[in-house]
Amino acid sequence: MKINEHYTEIGNNYLFAEVAKKVREYKAKNPDKTVISLGIGDITQPVAPAVIEAIHRATDEMADARTLRGYAPDYGYDFLVQAILKHEFIDRGILVEEDEIIISDGAKSDTGNIGDIIGQENTVAITDPAYPVYVDTNLMTGRKIELLPCMPSNGFVPPFPKRSADVIYLCYPNNPTGTVLTRDQMKPWVDYAIRNNSLILFDAAYEAFISQPDVPHSIFEIEGARQVAIEFRSFSKTAGFTGLRCGYTVVPKEIKAKTSKGETISLNALWKRRQSTKFNGTAYIVQRGAEAVYSPDGQRQTRSAIEYYMVNAKIIKTALESLGLTCYGGVNAPYIWCQTPDRMTSWEFFDLLLNKIQVVGTPGSGFGSAGEGFFRFTAFGNRESTVEATERIKTLF
Ligand code: MLT
């Protein structure tokens, strides 16, 4: 047999696995030290009580032959699709239809798996830095990638590709930079995709953290986007589902592509075909938990967790800026993107923080070469550790 040799081009470890490995090794050598992680964006606050209660109720249903559920419907339970449709789209005046929402186990899987329905020969444009899944999964398939550098000099607004791109990945609010595109900045991308017959893969996993009114929560707020964009959403950061796993992808029926034989194919149908073949549904109890996010208590409780994390973001950003470091993000996103001091490389700063003060963050270069010289801190820690981490950082300067 032969392996897929494209896998040899992506390095041995996924970024967050690499960071975790270094931290494990450090802890094994220094068992007396307390390490604080502001690295991977993983939750620390308990899942909302309304969600937990719904999961308990659903679990009890599984213990009774009259109410138990087996395989979930391929594209998600109607109760969850309807709750999403109402709260995320109808209430915001955004046109999305129920059969365009496809429930999954999260945006990481969907942003990676979407490549299954995209031809290998497409050229792909990806912002740099970016969530590593986009680059890694395209390299795994052997697609040609053009990186779109996002830096302070262009205000982190991606430039258009030099060669016309068939597929464009955009993530806003952005992971890792925490920066956003306003409606006016997003519109040219939709127009670009319409002009060039491109597909935008829009990752909106962090939309719940938006605080400014001119920042769109969905790309479908932009006129024309239904013809050219697929949107990925997640309950992970919005409602603490990193360990529960639930997300959804919106594939408008307007998006069509032509086969080499000239046949017109709907991407909505293609994605459903892919999911029903390779994915067996998100657990019933988890979908009930996700539905409860939209109950009045669920909304209040999840909002309060988001506010808690955004206070952390402010604490981190204020502390770093008080030390003279230049930082971005942290206002509409739970990430702070900080320039490393003294022109250190991202990994040098990582080593310094880990070895000297036992604070873990994520090296910017792990998100792409334009991330070199930057460092990402997450706001998902608990308050005490976040404050303690900033106190420790202050001792370095
Ligand atoms: C991150 O830290 O970038 C994310 O938590 C990773 C993920 O969502 O998979």
Side-chain angles (χ1 to χ4, degrees):
M1 64 76 80
K2 292 198 172 79
I3 59 153
N4 174 352
E5 291 207 10
H6 296 303
Y7 274 65
T8 61
E9 289 153 31
I10 56 171
N12 286 340
N13 282 326
Y14 179 61
L15 171 63
F16 296 106
E18 180 69 25
V19 169
K21 182 166 161 265
K22 281 184 182 272
V23 174
R24 259 194 325 274
E25 285 166 4
Y26 179 85
K27 282 183 177 169
K29 281 197 204 125
N30 301 278
D32 54 317
K33 300 271 202 266
T34 316
V35 176
I36 299 178
S37 177
L38 300 182
I40 189 163
D42 200 0
I43 56 158
T44 54
Q45 295 310 294
V47 175
V51 172
I52 295 297
E53 282 156 25
I55 290 175
H56 278 303
R57 278 195 304 274
T59 307
D60 288 340
E61 286 179 51
M62 299 302 252
D64 186 331
R66 287 163 305 178
T67 50
L68 73 78
R69 312 280 180 129
Y71 291 119
D74 283 341
Y75 316 126
Y77 282 99
D78 198 45
F79 59 76
L80 179 55
V81 170
Q82 293 302 335
I84 291 169
L85 186 64
K86 173 173 171 9
H87 291 89
E88 303 289 354
F89 301 107
I90 295 175
D91 288 357
R92 286 184 187 273
I94 303 169
L95 175 64
V96 164
E97 292 181 6
E98 58 184 81
D99 54 354
E100 296 173 334
I101 297 172
I102 300 132
I103 308 293
S104 70
D105 65 347
K108 178 178 183 181
S109 327
D110 285 4
T111 52
N113 292 332
I114 197 78
D116 277 12
I117 66 164
I118 292 165
Q120 197 265 338
E121 61 282 21
N122 284 301
T123 55
V124 172
I126 302 176
T127 55
D128 178 11
Y131 180 42
V133 170
Y134 316 149
V135 168
D136 284 2
T137 54
N138 278 287
L139 288 177
M140 284 170 176
T141 324
R143 289 196 194 92
K144 294 228 163 13
I145 300 173
E146 176 175 343
L147 295 172
L148 312 174
C150 296
M151 301 163 304
S153 57
N154 58 16
F156 296 95
V157 177
F160 288 132
K162 292 201 180 74
R163 290 173 300 278
S164 147
D166 302 310
V167 180
I168 299 146
Y169 286 75
L170 297 177
C171 168
Y172 290 99
N174 187 256
N175 178 15
T177 65
T179 57
V180 289
L181 292 185
T182 61
R183 281 185 194 83
D184 289 348
Q185 289 169 322
M186 210 177 281
K187 175 84 173 88
W189 276 100
V190 170
D191 294 343
Y192 173 94
I194 294 172
R195 256 192 337 272
N196 292 281
N197 211 8
S198 322
L199 173 69
I200 296 178
L201 297 176
F202 189 75
D203 186 349
Y206 297 94
E207 65 76 31
F209 295 83
I210 293 171
S211 61
Q212 290 175 331
D214 56 345
V215 179
H217 287 252
S218 164
I219 195 164
F220 302 121
E221 290 180 39
I222 312 295
E223 200 192 332
R226 285 182 56 83
Q227 295 166 57
V228 291
I230 289 178
E231 180 164 298
F232 304 93
R233 293 282 192 104
S234 167
F235 287 95
S236 287
K237 315 296 157 78
T238 311
F241 274 55
T242 53
L244 290 166
R245 307 308 312 151
C246 193
Y248 55 96
T249 288
V250 181
V251 189
K253 284 170 286 186
E254 276 95 320
I255 313 181
K256 303 264 163 62
K258 279 227 178 341
T259 65
S260 50
K261 293 183 194 127
E263 202 185 337
T264 302
I265 301 274
S266 138
L267 267 60
N268 177 289
L270 226 52
W271 178 242
K272 286 179 172 168
R273 186 70 178 83
R274 190 264 170 217
Q275 288 298 82
S276 58
T277 305
K278 291 197 181 182
F279 178 62
N280 230 346
T282 304
Y284 169 69
I285 57 175
V286 172
Q287 292 197 50
R288 279 293 186 201
E291 178 196 24
V293 168
Y294 296 110
S295 66
D297 282 348
Q299 288 284 278
R300 203 173 27 77
Q301 293 157 359
T302 50
R303 186 72 349 244
S304 115
I306 287 170
E307 281 158 14
Y308 175 94
Y309 291 132
M310 291 312 282
V311 171
N312 286 349
K314 195 161 187 183
I315 290 171
I316 298 168
K317 195 170 181 182
T318 309
L320 295 172
E321 285 176 343
S322 77
L323 300 172
L325 298 173
T326 305
C327 296
Y328 304 90
V331 175
N332 295 289
Y335 297 123
I336 291 95
W337 188 242
C338 166
Q339 227 147 18
T340 59
D342 305 327
R343 306 177 81 83
M344 288 173 109
T345 68
S346 305
W347 280 106
E348 281 168 355
F349 193 50
F350 175 90
D351 288 336
L352 176 80
L353 292 185
L354 179 59
N355 294 316
K356 281 260 165 66
I357 56 165
Q358 294 78 48
V359 170
V360 177
T362 312
S365 56
F367 297 97
S369 55
E372 183 55 280
F374 287 89
F375 203 75
R376 193 194 77 172
F377 290 98
T378 166
F380 286 110
N382 68 44
R383 182 65 39 77
E384 215 187 350
S385 317
T386 301
V387 171
E388 167 72 15
T390 59
E391 292 305 321
R392 291 189 194 179
I393 292 170
K394 284 179 189 164
T395 64
L396 283 178
F397 290 84

